[in-house]
Amino acid sequence: MTVHPAELPLSGLTVVSVEQAVAAPFATRQLADLGARVIKVERPGGGDFARRYDTSVHGQSSYFVWLNRSKESVTLDLKSAAGRAVLEQLLGGADVFVQNLAPGSAAALGLDAAALTARFPSLIPCTITGWGSTGPWADRKAYDLLVQCQTGLVSLTGNEHGAARAGVSVADIAAGMYAYSGILTALLARATTGAVRAVEVSLFEALAEWLNQPAYYTRYGGTQPPRIGTRHATIAPYGAFTAADGNDVLVSVQNEREWVALCERFLEQPELAADPRFATGSDRIAHRDELDAIVARRFAALGAEAAMELLDAAGIANAGVNDVEAFLAHPVLAARDRWRDVRVPGGATVGALLPPVDLAGTTPRMGDVPAAGEHTERVLAELGYGPLEVGELRAGGVI
């Protein structure tokens, strides 16, 4: 079903974004999903460098397709006076400005929060940085894996054989989510109090928030959680076990009732429930290797489907360990009708997941992924530029 932006909660809002990579595009795409007009400013001659991360989606980057649907792409050379003049016109009609430029670049272009607030008092500026706009690391570049390393996340992932990065860009995603919620909060504050508040999020501090539980565990427990693959540092049994047919099943026992049910109905060893080695959660963690060996032997005697049926009957949370192909075919996504077709540059369509938040009576916009500069001439025409002026800007490499 085609959704008109005017029917959506953020219709009438204009967002201008000088964005690249993942964090800022993720924030602005979610605004676009809800009806905001998002004008994405890209470099002439190639655009957002995330367009070239890979070519796996009909020649387009998987990252770019994910992060940039429903936006308008305008190419501008912001190092030129003419390019900055166009941007100034765009900002004059915008509600929100988002940027995740390299350290120092926004200030050099007069696009830092303080400068923007002075020129555009009603504009909400959102700055996404690597390490914060102040402090000893303000001038350092930051990429997702660097932040995973610095927050200690990489010391928690992997297994006894070594560390591993998280399989998705969690620092970028965290920062994009906090930027999105921060922008919504600032819009609400402006609407209800008239106060305009700048928003700032760093990748480091966004992911640091997500590391609070292991941070507390480490600071007050004396040691950090061990690197144990799919196992859990504070819960046992919890992890993936291999069934007789070679398939892995993840089991999670969260409380004493479930522990008793596991012993009686799955392990078929009811006496284990009161075994002093396993009687409490702390006991089970202390004797994890012994307990896991018992659970592993039971799985080794069952096929994965039979094991999951027994676990379901006992009320024990469990799931097969999917690869990405299995995720794509997941029955929950199909039954809940979560896939929509989105057009990408070149005319092909791809399946895109609906945003995870459902608002009653609202259907998100699932618009096209733009080609670099696809909307430049149309946007310039809206600003009053005629064909001759547009031609001059193009000839000068401004657009």
Side-chain angles (χ1 to χ4, degrees), residues 4-375:
H4 194 279
E7 302 170 359
L8 294 170
L10 298 186
S11 65
L13 290 171
T14 298
V15 179
V16 174
S17 189
V18 180
E19 60 180 28
Q20 55 200 351
V22 176
F26 188 43
T28 58
R29 195 218 73 197
Q30 294 176 91
L31 298 169
D33 289 340
L34 292 178
R37 183 186 190 187
V38 176
I39 300 173
K40 179 184 179 79
V41 177
E42 303 188 63
R43 301 175 182 84
D48 182 345
F49 58 73
R51 289 182 179 273
R52 296 176 294 283
Y53 279 167
D54 61 75
T55 57
S56 60
V57 186
H58 299 294
Q60 308 297 317
S61 159
S62 56
Y63 277 91
F64 194 86
V65 169
W66 165 43
L67 296 165
N68 290 284
R69 64 174 179 250
S70 302
K71 300 179 185 179
E72 299 172 46
S73 172
V74 171
T75 50
L76 284 178
D77 177 8
L78 297 183
K79 295 181 180 179
S80 70
R84 288 196 300 275
V86 172
L87 181 63
E88 288 290 299
Q89 289 178 271
L90 290 173
L91 293 176
D95 297 282
V96 178
F97 174 67
V98 181
Q99 63 88 8
N100 65 335
L101 293 168
S105 296
L109 294 169
L111 299 176
D112 56 295
L116 287 170
T117 299
R119 299 201 303 278
F120 306 103
S122 66
L123 180 70
I124 295 169
C126 176
T127 301
I128 301 176
T129 69
W131 312 100
S133 61
T134 61
W137 283 32
D139 295 330
R140 293 175 69 109
K141 289 186 176 181
Y143 298 115
D144 184 83
L145 185 53
L146 299 176
V147 176
Q148 288 192 38
C149 290
Q150 284 296 299
T151 56
L153 178 59
V154 169
S155 76
L156 301 171
T157 54
N159 55 32
E160 66 275 14
H161 302 298
R165 69 175 288 271
V168 295
S169 302
V170 288
D172 286 313
I173 293 167
M177 285 302 303
Y178 287 121
Y180 169 58
S181 61
I183 290 166
L184 294 178
T185 303
L187 286 167
L188 178 62
R190 190 183 70 173
T192 56
T193 70
V196 176
R197 304 185 186 280
V199 177
E200 181 177 338
V201 179
S202 77
L203 274 67
F204 179 69
E205 288 161 359
L207 193 56
E209 168 66 23
W210 290 13
L211 266 288
N212 261 272
Q213 180 274 320
Y216 278 125
Y217 182 101
T218 301
R219 173 169 288 180
Y220 299 103
T223 60
Q224 78 168 46
R227 185 188 294 128
I228 47 177
T230 61
R231 272 41 174 183
H232 194 288
T234 61
I235 303 172
Y238 190 127
F241 296 88
T242 303
D245 55 12
N247 293 311
D248 288 343
V249 177
L250 189 127
V251 176
S252 174
V253 173
Q254 297 279 326
N255 54 54
E256 297 309 312
R257 180 191 59 78
E258 292 179 355
W259 165 240
V260 172
L262 183 80
C263 294
E264 293 178 348
R265 305 186 62 181
F266 179 75
L267 297 176
E268 297 181 345
Q269 299 183 63
E271 70 280 3
L272 287 177
D275 189 309
R277 295 173 297 169
F278 312 130
T280 69
S282 296
D283 293 329
R284 293 192 287 277
I285 290 296
H287 298 91
R288 182 200 305 275
D289 291 345
E290 298 165 75
L291 176 56
D292 283 353
I294 293 169
V295 177
R297 283 196 295 272
R298 180 61 173 145
F299 270 98
L302 297 165
E305 288 299 324
M308 288 190 284
E309 287 177 7
L310 286 173
L311 290 163
D312 286 343
I316 306 299
N318 68 92
V321 180
N322 284 347
D323 59 15
V324 178
E325 286 288 348
F327 154 70
L328 289 169
H330 204 288
V332 171
L333 297 176
R336 285 176 50 76
D337 191 27
R338 302 305 293 182
W339 294 101
R340 296 292 182 274
D341 285 339
V342 168
R343 193 177 303 278
V344 300
T349 59
V350 301
L353 283 171
L354 287 167
V357 175
D358 292 331
L359 294 177
T362 298
T363 302
R365 177 169 51 169
M366 302 291 285
D368 297 348
V369 178
E374 178 179 342
H375 303 91

